[in-house]
Amino acid sequence: MPTLDVHGTALHYRDEGHGPPVLLFHAFPLHSGAFDAQVKALASRYRFLLPDVRGLGQGAPPSGPTEMAHIAQDALALLDALGLDSVVVGGVSMGGYASMALLREDPSRVRGLVLVDTQAGADDEAGRARREASAEQALREGPEAVVRAMLPRLVAAGPDSEVGREVAALMRAATPEGLAAAQRGMALRPDSKDILARYAGPALVVVGEQDGITPVEKARQMAELVTGAHLEIIPGAAHLPNQEQPEAFNAVLERFLSRL
């Protein structure tokens, strides 16, 4: 996995495939390996840029909360280093928050937007409190606490399924500090409805039919904010459709990319 020095911090990322560039941000608490099925199916036609968020996967240790703007700024530094003026930007869950943060930072870099099982709103007070409790538990108990709490809600097939075991392995690559920093960073994110309402480019919104974390209604609300956005609901998937139903997800993603 190559690295890029960003203000003294090593940004670990994957650069896979050939063709129009697509920057994808992974979900919490996973890492860039979550997009293996997309790389395998589509890398002959698209170039995937897949950073690991700090403290997750091979991401460098975080320094303070991993705010969504920081993830976006790391990615913009990567685009600068690779000489890429604009790319398709997308992400799953927390990766969707990071995508909207990048859109806020520099909309000129976003050729197309892909938002997967995420939401535009900020956390309310109760949500921020839950994130802080999760952060403190991760620091005390490590990734296993997060696996126990989150995995049953992430995959429709359940923790003991093949995809459930794959997701658990991705989660266990996180450090306790990275888990806590990401939770605290997500708690600080602003509402992004204004950013989506101003966005004038092509957009794809995807949601798992069985997602109980960011359900279909929240996906509809995002799609309604972006003029001309296309909404796709993936059957048989909960919060991670790109991993749970990769063939269906890849078909949806490729249709969108091929029209740009």
Side-chain angles (χ1 to χ4, degrees):
M1 177 177 278
T3 61
L4 173 71
D5 184 275
V6 181
H7 305 303
T9 298
L11 172 66
H12 294 256
Y13 67 97
R14 295 168 62 188
D15 187 346
E16 308 267 4
H18 307 278
V22 181
L23 171 69
L24 295 178
F25 296 108
H26 61 79
F28 173 86
L30 312 182
H31 59 75
S32 58
F35 295 114
D36 281 352
Q38 286 66 63
V39 170
K40 182 178 180 180
L42 303 176
S44 63
R45 296 180 292 285
Y46 299 96
R47 179 185 181 185
F48 289 99
L49 305 173
L50 310 170
D52 277 359
V53 170
R54 300 183 185 202
L56 305 179
Q58 294 187 41
S63 56
T66 305
E67 296 190 46
M68 301 303 102
H70 296 163
I71 300 174
Q73 289 158 10
D74 284 349
L76 288 169
L78 174 62
L79 298 186
D80 290 342
L82 297 175
L84 296 171
D85 292 331
S86 65
V87 298
V88 175
V89 175
V92 181
S93 189
M94 179 183 74
Y97 305 154
S99 299
M100 288 180 273
L102 193 152
L103 186 62
R104 184 183 297 274
E105 291 282 326
D106 191 348
S108 70
R109 309 299 287 272
V110 181
R111 184 166 176 246
L113 186 65
V114 181
L115 299 175
V116 184
D117 291 80
T118 189
Q119 59 184 324
D123 285 348
D124 58 16
E125 184 175 347
R128 290 191 292 272
R130 286 192 295 271
R131 290 198 190 278
E132 180 57 29
S134 177
E136 292 172 1
Q137 184 179 34
L139 290 172
R140 290 194 309 269
E141 302 176 32
E144 284 305 319
V146 181
V147 172
R148 290 194 305 271
M150 289 192 66
L151 188 56
R153 304 177 67 200
L154 293 179
V155 293
D160 295 327
S161 64
E162 182 178 355
V163 67
R165 291 190 292 272
E166 291 172 357
V167 171
L170 295 172
M171 297 169 78
R172 291 184 176 114
T175 65
E177 294 78 14
L179 294 167
Q183 285 283 32
R184 288 165 174 163
M186 286 188 284
L188 294 171
R189 76 186 192 278
D191 189 290
S192 293
K193 297 185 187 73
D194 59 328
I195 295 301
L196 293 183
R198 292 201 298 269
Y199 175 62
L204 171 67
V205 178
V206 184
V207 64
E209 185 179 37
Q210 300 177 46
D211 188 354
I213 298 174
T214 51
V216 171
E217 183 53 36
K218 291 194 173 184
R220 291 191 195 280
Q221 292 169 4
M222 286 192 302
E224 289 170 0
L225 288 169
V226 182
T227 302
H230 186 67
L231 173 65
E232 288 279 0
I233 301 171
I234 306 295
H239 197 59
L240 304 173
N242 63 301
Q243 295 175 261
E244 297 177 84
Q245 299 294 336
E247 290 186 5
F249 179 88
N250 291 347
V252 164
L253 179 62
E254 185 169 27
R255 278 198 300 272
F256 175 73
L257 295 175
S258 68
R259 293 172 182 153
L260 299 182

